[in-house]
């Protein structure tokens, strides 16, 4: 097979974005870049001119009219926050800002301050008004944070744009979030092989490989952003019940499914649940699998991941 691939990389959203096409298409690469740049303007927590910041800054003051994109993603995130109330919470912003994990934070906040922030995470205090496309956070200090879902939405949108442009095969990698399109032109059976990197292993040597049709593969783990005090590790997945980083035996969770936005949510939720309860949740979703890696580097996979040979699994 003499098929070539065309890989484009750029730095954005605090990560390396990579787009792989199997026919040259520079305009599409440029359009992808522009799209992600626009999304960064809409959703960034670190830019004062983003729509998300406007909503947060007007908390307790007034509703803010937003773009259709922002409205629908916020609506989805709120829906998932209600469904997974013990774990996923889109109002985590005040806690994220308090801990500053990955943004220079290196101290455990006071429990009084944590308690104060937890009171700002009540989703009954969010008003979404579809006719006016407005979002209103009713209490001063409330803050939406789409960090655990936005990249999945962007990956879904990019792949959809590729399809509309007539592209039949592609890989979008938004740093920890991979989405595949169509058959793999480099294999005879059209299947893809995606490696899962263990967080505590050497970079570039995946601990396992999964052969699959076009799916999305999303990983959430605690080694992306953290700080340590003594031996205690404080990482960026925060528990909306306690206000502290989740404490359990899980290093990372990888979700394999069709929709990347859902994969992001399930990765966070399954991180909280761990392998047993997490797998039980995953079984309820069609065409969805998960890989859990714990602190001892033990691997646990859901039932649809069939072992092929050492370190290689396959899904239908
Ligand atoms: P990344 O892909 O950047 O590693 P994740 O998908 O694992 O991030 O999500 C972590 C980010 O999600 C945090 O940086 C924070 O912004 C936000 N977050 C942290 N805890 C929660 C939570 N319990 N619910 C929803 N969002 C969260
Ligand atoms: Mg995630």
């Amino acid at each position: 097979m003499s098929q070539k691939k065309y890989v484009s990389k750029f730095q954005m959203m605090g990560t390396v974005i990579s787009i792989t096409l199997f026919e040259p298409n520079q305009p599409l690469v440029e359009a992808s870049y522009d799209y992600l740049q626009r999304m960064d303007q809409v959703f960034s927590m670190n830019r004062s001119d983003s729509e998300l910041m406007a909503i947060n800054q007007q908390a307790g003051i007034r509703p803010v009219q937003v773009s259709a994109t922002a409205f629908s993603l916020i609506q989805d995130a709120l829906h998932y926050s209600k469904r997974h109330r013990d774990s996923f919470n889109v109002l985590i912003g005040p806690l994220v800002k308090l801990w500053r994990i990955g943004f220079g934070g290196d101290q455990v906040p006071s429990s009084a301050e944590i308690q104060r922030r937890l009171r700002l995470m009540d989703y009954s205090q969010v008003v979404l008004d579809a006719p006016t496309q407005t979002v209103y956070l009713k209490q001063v200090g409330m803050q939406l944070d789409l960090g655990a879902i936005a990249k999945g939405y962007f990956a879904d949108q990019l792949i959809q744009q590729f399809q509309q442009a007539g592209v039949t095969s592609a890989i979008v990698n938004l740093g920890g979030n991979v989405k595949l399109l169509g058959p793999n032109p480099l294999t005879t059976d059209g299947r893809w092989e995606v490696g899962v990197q263990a967080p505590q292993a050497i970079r570039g040597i995946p601990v396992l490989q999964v052969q699959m049709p076009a799916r999305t593969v999303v990983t959430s783990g605690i080694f992306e952003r953290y700080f340590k005090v003594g031996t205690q590790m404080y990482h960026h997945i925060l528990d909306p019940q306690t206000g502290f980083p989740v404490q359990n035996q899980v290093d990372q969770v990888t979700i394999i499914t069709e929709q990347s936005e859902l994969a992001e949510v399930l990765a966070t939720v399954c991180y909280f649940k761990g392998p047993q309860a997490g797998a039980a949740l995953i079984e309820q979703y069609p065409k969805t699998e998960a890989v859990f890696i714990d602190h001892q580097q033990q691997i646990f996979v859901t039932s649809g991941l069939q072992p092929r040979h050492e370190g290689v699994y396959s899904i239908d």
Side-chain angles (χ1 to χ4, degrees):
M1 230 171 285
S2 66
Q3 186 90 39
K4 289 182 185 160
K5 62 179 180 180
Y6 300 83
V7 184
S8 310
K9 290 190 179 178
F10 39 90
Q11 194 104 31
M12 208 190 278
M13 299 174 171
T15 189
V16 178
I17 312 271
S18 127
I19 290 170
T20 303
L21 301 172
F22 298 88
E23 282 168 6
N25 192 339
Q26 196 53 30
L28 191 69
V29 172
E30 307 278 326
S32 306
Y33 182 89
D34 293 345
Y35 170 75
L36 290 171
Q37 190 108 318
R38 262 194 331 273
M39 291 302 102
D40 198 31
Q41 266 160 38
V42 173
F43 292 110
S44 175
M45 284 290 275
N46 309 309
R47 313 171 49 122
S48 57
D49 61 342
S50 78
E51 291 189 39
L52 202 65
M53 284 299 275
I55 296 166
N56 292 347
Q57 278 159 359
Q58 299 301 322
I61 302 171
R62 64 177 127 89
V64 174
Q65 189 169 31
V66 296
S67 61
T69 304
F71 192 85
S72 89
L73 182 51
I74 292 166
Q75 197 165 38
D76 286 1
L78 208 56
H79 160 80
Y80 288 122
S81 302
K82 289 174 185 168
R83 180 182 291 183
H84 305 288
R85 55 186 70 222
D86 304 339
S87 49
F88 188 86
N89 190 328
V90 67
L91 290 170
I92 203 96
L95 266 184
V96 172
K97 287 285 163 65
L98 178 65
W99 282 90
R100 293 172 37 82
I101 291 166
F103 296 95
D106 57 4
Q107 279 182 32
V108 178
S110 76
S111 50
E113 193 54 34
I114 288 175
Q115 291 309 315
R116 203 179 73 76
R117 306 275 169 139
L118 285 175
R119 286 194 290 274
L120 296 170
M121 290 164 47
D122 173 5
Y123 46 67
S124 72
Q125 299 294 299
V126 183
V127 185
L128 293 187
D129 187 61
T132 55
Q133 296 277 291
T134 56
V135 181
Y136 181 36
L137 309 179
K138 286 162 88 174
Q139 306 293 326
V140 178
M142 288 175 75
Q143 291 185 53
L144 293 171
D145 179 336
L146 295 163
I149 186 170
K151 273 197 282 173
Y153 174 81
F154 303 154
D156 290 332
Q157 293 296 314
L158 275 177
I159 289 292
Q160 198 183 328
Q161 289 162 22
F162 288 9
Q163 281 178 297
Q164 281 160 1
V167 172
T168 50
S169 297
I171 309 170
V172 166
N173 187 339
L174 305 183
N177 179 317
V178 172
K179 186 157 182 167
L180 307 166
L181 170 65
N184 182 351
L186 305 181
T187 57
T188 43
D189 59 3
R191 283 163 66 81
W192 303 86
E193 191 165 276
V194 178
V196 175
Q197 172 84 46
Q200 303 198 56
I202 302 160
R203 285 270 143 199
I205 305 175
V207 59
L208 61 87
Q209 303 274 353
V210 184
Q211 297 166 346
M212 64 183 81
R215 290 280 187 276
T216 184
V217 182
V218 172
T219 297
S220 254
I222 57 175
F223 287 87
E224 292 286 313
R225 280 179 260 144
Y226 64 90
F227 65 82
K228 271 185 163 176
V229 178
T231 56
Q232 181 66 50
M233 182 174 169
Y234 297 93
H235 59 76
H236 76 156
I237 305 178
L238 300 170
D239 187 334
Q241 319 265 13
T242 65
F244 275 77
V246 187
Q247 291 225 34
N248 63 21
Q249 290 303 308
V250 187
D251 258 15
Q252 76 175 27
V253 181
T254 299
I255 303 290
I256 304 167
T257 187
E258 293 192 307
Q259 200 207 352
S260 204
E261 183 186 320
L262 174 66
E264 289 276 357
V265 174
L266 291 178
T268 300
V269 171
C270 285
Y271 183 85
F272 280 77
K273 288 186 179 287
Q276 276 74 38
L281 174 72
I282 291 301
E283 302 297 344
Q284 297 170 20
Y285 289 86
K287 294 190 181 175
T288 304
E289 303 300 335
V291 178
F292 296 80
I293 301 180
D294 72 13
H295 294 336
Q296 276 70 48
Q297 304 306 288
Q298 289 193 81
I299 298 169
F300 181 93
V301 303
T302 50
S303 63
L305 279 154
Q306 296 132 22
R308 284 286 174 253
H309 36 93
E310 183 70 38
V312 181
Y313 290 83
S314 169
I315 62 172
D316 297 335

